Amino acid sequence: MHNSLLTNIILLSLFHTAVIAAPDKYAAVLTVRQTSAPTDPQCLDYARTANLSTIGANSTYRSAFLQASPVGTIFNAQMLNAAILKLPALTGDEALNQACGNLTTIALAEAERNFTVGIVAQFSGLVGNPQEIKAGPELLPIVGLIILIFGGVWSFMP
Ligand SMILES: *[C@@H]1O[C@H](CO)[C@@H](O)[C@H](O)[C@H]1NC(C)=O
Ligand SMILES: *[C@@H]1O[C@H](CO)[C@@H](O)[C@H](O)[C@H]1NC(C)=O
Ligand SMILES: *[C@@H]1O[C@H](CO)[C@@H](O)[C@H](O)[C@H]1NC(C)=O
Ligand SMILES: *[C@@H]1O[C@H](CO)[C@@H](O)[C@H](O)[C@H]1NC(C)=O
């Protein structure tokens, strides 16, 4: 009787230790992840501002972003401009950069890396120049039609 109680207590305490020990392992994994991807709201705000400002300040990224985004250009331009205005204070904030890492530097490097693979912010598949004007043989009938319509108006004008 006593013996089985003791066994139970030992088993229970072993189980207890196992349960308590497990989160420790995950905690270590979590802290490692958090240093590279901060979940602190302050850091998230800094990351967002740095990313948007980097895109907004470079005309290449900016035009690609505005073209890819389904949201209106005026609204997006306001958002990018606000980020550009807000970033310098965050970049200069020593404590914030200590806590989150210099996300301004990261955003600059990452925006460039993203762009080389056709990604700007959350939009991918932007390989090539989005400003490029299409000019192929398919334009011939279109231009011909335009000449016919406009020319026709002049030719048959009474
Ligand atoms: C900002 O860009 C970095 C680097 O690409 C990315 O890891 C991070 O998720 C981005 N943060 C936000 C809030 O968009
Ligand atoms: C973060 O990086 C930017 C440019 O990469 C630099 O101008 C700024 O001084 C850095 N901020 C801190 C607090 O070191
Ligand atoms: C904008 O980004 C492009 C592509 O990464 C780069 O070649 C160009 O120098 C940048 N322009 C400015 C003003 O930083
Ligand atoms: C880089 O691309 C990822 C998605 O692939 C995006 O989450 C991140 O915000 C981009 N970074 C910047 C600085 O635009």
Side-chain angles (χ1 to χ4, degrees):
M1 175 68 192
H2 265 262
N3 231 346
S4 83
L5 187 66
L6 204 68
T7 319
N8 274 346
I9 286 171
I10 288 169
L11 273 179
L12 252 171
S13 72
L14 275 179
F15 179 67
H16 204 103
T17 334
V19 166
I20 287 178
D24 265 356
K25 264 198 264 175
Y26 294 120
V29 173
L30 272 179
T31 40
V32 168
R33 274 184 48 189
Q34 273 164 358
T35 49
S36 57
T39 49
D40 184 342
Q42 242 190 339
C43 293
L44 276 178
D45 184 51
Y46 181 21
R48 201 178 106 87
T49 308
N51 290 0
L52 287 179
S53 170
T54 307
I55 290 162
N58 180 309
S59 55
T60 311
Y61 305 153
R62 190 185 176 101
S63 58
F65 179 82
L66 291 180
Q67 289 214 349
S69 170
V71 183
T73 303
I74 294 175
F75 177 77
N76 269 332
Q78 276 173 355
M79 181 180 72
L80 293 177
N81 292 344
I84 293 171
L85 287 178
K86 187 177 165 190
L87 184 63
L90 301 178
T91 306
D93 188 335
E94 287 285 349
L96 188 66
N97 281 276
Q98 284 278 315
C100 313
N102 192 332
L103 298 179
T104 309
T105 315
I106 294 176
L108 280 172
E110 289 296 308
E112 191 171 352
R113 203 168 60 92
N114 275 0
F115 190 70
T116 57
V117 292
I119 296 172
V120 171
Q122 67 270 46
F123 307 113
S124 58
L126 308 174
V127 185
N129 183 358
Q131 299 282 12
E132 201 171 38
I133 293 170
K134 193 161 176 54
E138 66 269 32
L139 282 188
L140 276 180
I142 296 174
V143 172
L145 201 70
I146 289 171
I147 290 175
L148 208 72
I149 291 169
F150 283 85
V153 170
W154 285 101
S155 308
F156 298 109
M157 208 161 54

